[in-house]
Amino acid sequence: MTIESWLQAAIEDAEHRGLPELKPMLEALARATAALRQSLVSQSPVGQAATAQSRVRGVRSASAIRPS
Amino acid sequence: MMTIEEFGRRLRAKEITSEQVTEECLERIEADNDRLNAFICVMADTARQRARQADQELAAGRDRGPLHGVPLSIKDLLDIRGVATTAASRVREGHVADRDAATIAHLRQAGAVFVGKTNLHEFAFGTTNEDSAFGPARNPHDPSRSPGGSSGGSAASVAAGMALASIGTDTGGSIRIPAAACGIVGLKPSAGEVSTDGVVPLSTTLDHVGSLAQSVADATLVHHALLGDPTVSPPAPMPTSGLRLAVPRRYFCDLLDDEVRARFDEAIARLGAAGVHVDDIEIRHAADIAPIYLHIVLSDAAAYHAHALETVPQRYTAAVRLRLEMGRYILAEDYVRALAGRQVLRREVDAALTQHDALLLPTLAIPAPPIGAETVQVGNAAESVRNIMLRLTQPFNLTGHPAISLPSGMTSGGLPCAVQLVGCTGQTDALLRVAMACEVHISGVLTSG
């Protein structure tokens, strides 16, 4: 289901249920859902690869800002 | 107000009694609760009775451990046998708990005295404590401001000397945010470590039970009592020299109030001067935290509330009802995506901790906001109060790592700032030892002895 079709159906349902004030909140949720779907971390195989990179990078990028 | 440690020393030296200190707490509640609205229910008679019993037991040689006779407040989300658990909602009207939550039973065994049940954001679903059937709790440092939430009444009660410590819950920061806003210590233990049995859920996969206290040592004592292990003493702090902390700058330090940033940088400088090694690190997918959290917490909360939303929707506060309704529209496929993202974040925080004792970051990006504010100015942008308050704490509900908030000084306007230490999963005690070592340097307040 696309986010656009989901959002339209959700807003129509909310209005039908007497909750028109949900519309801006559903629009905000739609933006969050778009971000979630575009995120690499929610796509499992890619996410696992990204984690492996992070593990290496997290160690390499550690730079002391204050000498011990 | 004395700490639990000091209370214990003086109690056993016969300088004070539990009954006296409990009475002082009840007097503070009587004097200040109209102004702060920290308590929904004050249990004065049973508190006096239990305090008297604690004194009698001690006189007879029965010492239940560090929480013996200690006056505590309890967030009104946990069941205490024979008392209503309102969750700060009219939806719960008529409810009376028929048994203790598992943690309450442990505290009872440890000899704690319950002075009352504290105000919260309705069903723990908010960060400001404004949406409560009993009205907003207020910040003792400035009653025109929020004490944070959702455990706002708990934090206010400790900061105002109405209890020596409090029990709260934390689903996205609901212990650490109010602890930071009120200038006290707040501990969220590792996920699953402390029982949530007998606690009204918000999200069964994100909920944690923990302590709000005046010091790390006190938080340690309460934490062990919650685990049913009440005789443990606080460990000796480890030396600061050789400690390695990691600061995740990107995302976590991008959006901070200027004075919060200044207090954070000063704390880092003091830690460095004390021999702590501080590195910058990166958590790569930190920017994805908010959408992942949102899809999980909304779905979980909507599932729990579905029946009440159908049958008694008018009993919710308007804002909480709408947020719960929003969760009913989330698609299963997006919930599953969020769960997958959660696993990635968990591994990334694990990776960030492989060469460090703890992460170090601010707890709350802003000082306590004015009650009623929907947005706050951070730099040049107006930010949503809810989003900015959750921003730095919710990651560790997703990942399950233990996290503790410590006071780090005040703004020029007299509002508390705080930093957060995050430890390895399943190693809350190790995190507490790090926090004990860092506490005085983070606060910047030197103590004697």
Side-chain angles (χ1 to χ4, degrees):
Chain A
M1 191 177 207
T2 67
I3 292 174
E4 291 74 19
S5 57
W6 165 81
L7 179 59
Q8 186 178 348
I11 289 172
E12 285 174 8
D13 182 74
E15 286 174 349
H16 177 71
R17 296 173 58 225
L19 293 168
E21 60 270 51
L22 266 180
K23 184 181 176 192
M25 299 173 76
L26 290 168
E27 289 168 343
L29 178 59
R31 290 192 289 277
T33 304
L36 178 70
R37 291 187 184 186
Q38 286 161 14
S39 159
L40 289 180
V41 299
S42 66
Q43 300 165 25
S44 197
V46 180
Q48 286 168 9
T51 302
Q53 288 173 10
S54 169
R55 199 180 302 270
V56 173
R57 185 171 175 162
V59 172
R60 278 185 186 162
S61 66
S63 57
I65 60 170
R66 185 166 298 280
S68 59
Chain B
M1 177 57 67
M2 70 184 83
T3 63
I4 294 174
E5 276 196 310
E6 184 186 355
F7 171 90
R9 279 194 301 272
R10 295 184 63 192
L11 182 74
R12 287 163 184 84
K14 297 184 170 52
E15 295 171 12
I16 55 171
T17 65
S18 172
E19 200 174 358
Q20 286 169 351
V21 177
T22 298
E23 198 59 50
E24 286 175 20
C25 289
L26 293 172
E27 286 169 6
R28 293 276 180 100
I29 295 170
E30 178 73 23
D32 285 341
N33 200 48
D34 282 351
R35 185 171 64 95
L36 300 177
N37 203 22
F39 283 84
I40 288 173
C41 165
V42 181
M43 300 163 59
D45 291 343
T46 54
R48 289 187 181 105
Q49 187 182 351
R50 282 186 59 81
R52 207 171 301 127
Q53 182 187 344
D55 289 332
Q56 288 166 353
E57 284 183 355
L58 205 58
R62 183 178 185 194
D63 188 339
R64 292 173 182 256
L67 289 202
H68 189 117
V70 172
L72 299 180
S73 64
I74 308 293
K75 185 178 187 178
D76 199 8
L77 203 64
L78 289 84
D79 284 346
I80 297 179
R81 187 181 62 241
V83 180
T85 307
T86 71
S89 181
R90 289 184 51 234
V91 171
R92 302 272 300 181
E93 274 176 5
H95 170 272
V96 176
D98 58 8
R99 65 188 182 98
D100 285 338
T103 44
I104 295 296
H106 286 152
L107 293 171
R108 223 185 260 283
Q109 276 300 112
V113 173
F114 307 136
V115 293
K117 303 192 78 179
T118 53
N119 204 349
L120 63 146
H121 208 113
E122 186 179 28
F123 283 110
F125 206 9
T127 59
T128 60
N129 221 126
E130 288 167 15
D131 298 312
S132 162
F134 300 89
R138 294 177 180 276
N139 193 314
H141 294 273
D142 177 351
S144 73
R145 291 180 180 263
S146 165
S150 63
S151 309
S154 284
S157 73
V158 176
M162 298 166 162
L164 269 56
S166 189
I167 310 304
T169 63
D170 190 316
T171 306
S174 285
I175 288 172
R176 291 160 288 157
I177 291 168
C182 291
I184 61 172
V185 171
L187 171 66
K188 179 199 84 69
S190 282
E193 186 177 6
V194 176
S195 173
T196 55
D197 176 58
V199 181
V200 179
L202 175 57
S203 160
T204 52
T205 70
L206 297 168
D207 292 342
H208 298 66
V209 174
S211 53
L212 298 99
Q214 300 174 77
S215 68
V216 177
D218 281 7
T220 305
L221 296 174
V222 178
H223 172 65
H224 278 277
L226 289 171
L227 291 171
D229 186 16
T231 58
V232 170
S233 300
M238 56 178 62
T240 49
S241 179
L243 270 181
R244 294 179 66 90
L245 303 181
V247 178
R249 293 268 173 196
R250 200 168 82 176
Y251 175 85
F252 294 95
C253 296
D254 287 350
L255 262 182
L256 296 177
D257 170 89
D258 289 344
E259 292 200 78
V260 170
R261 185 186 301 281
R263 295 299 90 75
F264 181 58
D265 289 342
E266 289 160 10
I268 291 176
R270 286 191 296 269
L271 288 166
V276 177
H277 185 88
V278 183
D279 292 331
D280 278 3
I281 53 111
E282 181 182 354
I283 295 173
R284 285 190 65 213
H285 292 102
D288 299 319
I289 288 165
I292 291 169
Y293 178 82
L294 189 70
H295 284 77
I296 294 173
V297 74
L298 287 180
S299 301
D300 288 353
Y304 177 75
H305 286 275
H307 179 69
L309 287 168
E310 288 299 322
T311 54
V312 287
Q314 73 284 358
R315 291 193 186 176
Y316 289 93
T317 62
V320 168
R321 179 193 175 194
L322 286 176
R323 248 190 338 269
L324 290 169
E325 285 285 358
M326 189 165 52
R328 305 178 85 186
Y329 290 96
I330 288 175
L331 296 176
E333 61 179 274
D334 293 318
Y335 184 73
V336 172
R337 285 187 178 100
L339 293 178
R342 180 181 191 175
Q343 294 301 329
V344 174
L345 289 172
R346 186 176 289 148
R347 290 194 291 267
E348 291 193 349
V349 175
D350 281 342
L353 283 163
T354 51
Q355 296 191 354
H356 296 92
D357 296 293
L359 305 184
L360 174 69
L361 60 153
T363 307
L364 187 55
I366 56 170
I371 290 173
E374 292 187 3
T375 60
V376 287
Q377 197 72 19
V378 181
N380 294 324
E383 300 288 336
S384 148
V385 165
R386 177 178 166 79
N387 291 349
I388 194 107
M389 290 182 86
L390 282 169
R391 181 178 171 90
L392 307 179
T393 49
Q394 63 188 359
F396 310 108
N397 295 81
L398 286 171
T399 66
H401 293 81
I404 187 166
S405 178
L406 307 175
S408 62
M410 311 288 271
T411 66
S412 55
L415 295 172
C417 301
V419 306
Q420 189 177 194
L421 290 164
V422 180
C424 296
T425 299
Q427 297 184 31
T428 303
D429 277 340
L431 172 67
L432 287 163
R433 285 195 296 276
V434 172
M436 285 186 75
C438 295
E439 185 173 25
V440 66
H441 305 294
I442 287 173
S443 73
V445 178
L446 294 174
T447 56
S448 60

